[in-house]
Structures are given as structure tokens and as C-alpha cells.
Amino acid sequence: MQTITLKPLLHRNSEYIGIYFDKTPAIEKLIRKQPAARWSQTNKCWYIPLTQEAWLLLSTNLEGKALINKIALKGYLEKKKTVQALLPQQKQVAAEKITYTKPVSLTTAWQLSTANGKALESFVQMLQLKAYSASTINTYRTEFMQLLKLLKKKAVDALTAEDLKRYMVYAMQTEGIKENTAHSRLNAMKFYFEQVLGREKFFWEIPRPKKQLIIPKLLNETEIRRLFNALTNKKHKAMLFTAYSAGLRVSEIVNLKIADIDSRRMQIF
């Protein structure tokens, strides 16, 4: 019985299952029965989407007619699952002990090398141990991943201060990141090299871009009055009045609890 090998295939910025086998009319006819099966002239193989539905249909069509070697595919998906645990959770479904998700772009975290995948894991764990906020962890993780994905097989631990300088020039000139993003990316890298790896503090050698001065637009008294008068919902009016009078952020307003208010002293904590 012929063996068909399934491998992860990255094609046109999406993930697929590559189907490799010695061409025989009978097997090729079975593959063609797959509604989503396509031939890649570049990769010289048939491929199907990396989804549960496509996988189940393929395994059903090949049952009893060919042996399926999915070692490479399982290894890829296990690595993907490990790194995905460090990212915002996505809905997953299982098929024959393999976890699948919807197709994703080439720039996703599970394309990292093994060494850089472990670096990302250590990075997130240290952020959590130091009790950084969820927002900060998400920002730092996102920015650190941009560097890791660009490195491909090169280990991030081997980078020097000069390498990071060149990377920041590339990020600002080629990627076109803005000043605030550049600061966040530098902070993320600084945390990894100094807090995770315990390296000497060499980030003072890397110049930080000057932040653009943005003068806030202020509403005059008439505009404020019109804004408040336009509100008919009492809850919305209470929220806006509180934010305006106490100088609170939107996130602070929506998370305000009764326990945060001292009614006797008329104070908000």
C-alpha cells in the first residue's frame, strides 16, 4: 500500500497541508476528489487548507487505500500549539489528536525557530512573574515578536548592540513604525536582554527617537455645554461628567466600582 506524506505548506501567505506521494492514477484521482485540493506548480505538490473539515475528508477518502505519514505535520502543529499558548487564545478544534485552527498568515508566531520560540516563552513568563499588566504584556510580546519573526533561524540571544541599532533603523525606515511604536519595541527588547538574559545595560547606547509633540485639542465652554446637553441617557451622562470633572481615563471610568467611591467624603479612589 502506498504511503502519502503530509507536511505543513506555507503558500501565498497562508497555511496549508502539503500532500506528497509517488504519482499513481488511482491516488491522484482520490486527491482530486477533495473539493479544496489545489496543485502548486511552485511546490510540486497537491495541497488542502489546514482545517479540520479538509483533514477529515482527506483521511476518509484515503482510508484503506493508502497509508498516511503525518509525523512532520504533527510536529509543526505541536510547535504551533506551544507558541500559541503565549498568544491571545483562539478557538480550537481537534481531529485525530491533531489540533487545528483557521488558516493564518506567514507572519504568525509559530513560524519562529525553536530557539526563538523558547526565548518568547521565557520573555512572557518573566513579564508575568514581575506582575506586569495584561496590556503591557500584550504590547511587549507583540513588539518582541516582530524582531523574532524577522530573525527566522538566527538566535535572538546572539544579537549585539550594533545588531539592534541596525534593526531599529530597518524598523523605522523600511517598516515605517512611528515614534511611539519604536519606544515600545525598544522597551520590549531592553526587558528581554536585561531582565530575562541578565545582560549588561547596553541600551543606553541605542538612541531613542524623539517623540512627536502633539498639542491636545481642547473644547471650549460652549462646546462642553452642548456635549453634555446632547446626552439623554443618565448612565452615559454620569460617566461623562465623572470623567470630565475627575480627569479619569475611559478605562478607569468603565472599571469604576461602588467600593471605589467614598460617599461621606465625596471622593473617588
Side-chain angles (χ1 to χ4, degrees):
M1 188 177 293
Q2 185 172 349
T3 298
I4 293 178
T5 301
L6 304 182
K7 297 180 181 179
L9 177 67
L10 304 175
H11 184 58
R12 295 179 180 176
N13 291 338
S14 294
E15 288 180 323
Y16 295 95
I17 299 175
I19 307 171
Y20 300 85
F21 59 95
D22 294 331
K23 286 191 176 181
T24 58
I27 296 297
E28 190 150 7
K29 184 177 180 181
L30 291 173
I31 300 300
R32 287 177 180 273
K33 282 185 177 181
Q34 296 283 128
R38 297 289 183 273
W39 171 258
S40 170
Q41 186 63 33
T42 303
N43 298 286
K44 304 297 182 184
C45 72
W46 288 90
Y47 64 91
I48 58 175
L50 186 60
T51 62
Q52 181 193 33
E53 182 182 6
W55 156 255
L56 290 176
L57 184 57
L58 177 67
S59 60
T60 300
N61 288 340
L62 295 177
E63 187 176 2
K65 302 179 179 69
L67 299 175
I68 300 177
N69 178 351
K70 51 181 181 288
I71 295 175
L73 181 62
K74 286 189 69 173
Y76 173 80
L77 292 169
E78 286 168 1
K79 176 184 174 184
K80 173 176 174 176
K81 183 179 180 181
T82 299
V83 179
Q84 195 173 28
L86 302 172
L87 306 175
Q89 294 300 306
Q90 298 179 11
K91 186 177 180 181
Q92 299 179 338
V93 290
E96 209 173 278
K97 298 183 180 179
I98 302 180
T99 302
Y100 294 90
T101 59
K102 293 180 180 179
V104 292
S105 71
L106 270 171
T107 57
T108 45
W110 36 87
Q111 305 306 324
L112 306 180
S113 67
T114 301
N116 289 342
K118 290 180 179 178
L120 177 62
E121 186 174 1
S122 299
F123 178 73
V124 173
Q125 286 176 348
M126 184 62 76
L127 285 166
Q128 293 169 338
L129 287 171
K130 288 185 173 289
Y132 276 62
S133 69
S135 175
T136 301
I137 291 176
N138 284 333
T139 299
Y140 277 28
R141 174 177 49 204
T142 299
E143 298 305 333
F144 188 52
M145 279 171 50
Q146 305 312 308
L147 169 63
L148 297 181
K149 289 184 290 188
L150 185 67
L151 291 175
K152 297 182 180 177
K153 297 296 181 182
K154 183 173 181 177
V156 66
D157 294 7
L159 297 183
T160 65
E162 290 301 317
D163 292 329
L164 295 173
K165 284 180 185 178
R166 288 193 294 271
Y167 168 67
M168 288 306 300
V169 171
Y170 165 83
M172 297 191 71
Q173 293 185 351
T174 305
E175 293 182 1
I177 65 173
K178 302 300 183 183
E179 291 83 359
N180 287 339
T181 303
H183 278 273
S184 295
R185 195 161 299 183
L186 274 171
N187 289 338
M189 295 190 302
K190 175 180 171 69
F191 182 90
Y192 179 73
F193 284 94
E194 294 181 2
Q195 300 293 325
V196 179
L197 297 185
R199 298 273 181 86
E200 279 188 39
K201 296 184 178 182
F202 61 78
F203 272 79
W204 60 270
E205 300 177 15
I206 303 178
R208 286 180 176 267
K210 185 178 180 180
K211 289 186 178 181
Q212 184 180 3
L213 179 62
I214 301 176
I215 300 175
K217 182 180 178 181
L218 302 177
L219 300 179
N220 59 40
E221 188 176 341
T222 302
E223 290 172 325
I224 291 291
R225 187 181 300 110
R226 288 174 56 194
L227 176 62
F228 286 149
N229 289 339
L231 293 171
T232 56
N233 185 296
K234 290 184 178 180
K235 180 179 73 173
H236 296 166
K237 183 172 289 190
M239 294 171 71
L240 190 57
F241 266 105
T242 305
Y244 178 73
S245 59
L248 300 181
R249 299 181 178 91
V250 172
S251 59
E252 293 170 330
I253 284 292
V254 298
N255 289 307
L256 200 61
K257 299 178 177 58
I258 294 177
D260 299 327
I261 301 173
D262 188 336
S263 299
R264 290 192 304 167
R265 298 182 180 179
M266 298 301 291
Q267 292 180 333
I268 300 174
F269 293 98

